[in-house]
Amino acid sequence: DLGSGTGGFPLAIARGLESPPNLEIIAFDYVREGLERTRSRLKLIAEIQGLRFTPVEANLDLLDGSQRIPIADQSVDRVI
């Protein structure tokens, strides 16, 4: 989840009735506090559903071409 903020999208996915088993959500944001809030909001749901959550603090300002999303090419199924 690029620009995850406080985790609205990961929470919606985790609460969904048809979340795939062994789902891993990687949340990227430049605000550490937002990622920590997402982690705390997802904790109980993640434990129940077996969801894996990985927060990544990163600058996603890609306009000038000097930044890259810190994840290997072709290592994820979807980017939101």
Side-chain angles (χ1 to χ4, degrees):
D1 179 20
L2 299 177
S4 187
T6 57
F9 185 76
L11 266 171
I13 293 292
R15 289 179 177 154
L17 297 176
E18 297 189 28
S19 293
N22 302 315
L23 176 68
E24 178 179 14
I25 295 175
I26 305 170
F28 294 88
D29 206 293
Y30 68 96
V31 179
R32 179 178 302 161
E33 292 81 10
L35 292 169
E36 290 303 318
R37 181 157 182 215
T38 301
R39 181 193 304 273
S40 67
R41 293 172 73 191
L42 278 173
K43 185 175 179 163
L44 181 59
I45 296 170
E47 289 173 2
I48 292 169
Q49 294 187 5
L51 170 79
R52 291 178 294 144
F53 174 71
T54 305
V56 178
E57 187 177 347
N59 180 355
L60 298 175
D61 183 6
L62 307 175
L63 293 178
D64 70 1
S66 66
Q67 298 288 330
R68 298 184 65 95
I69 298 169
I71 194 163
D73 290 345
Q74 301 180 2
S75 65
V76 296
D77 294 324
R78 304 282 184 278
V79 176
I80 308 269

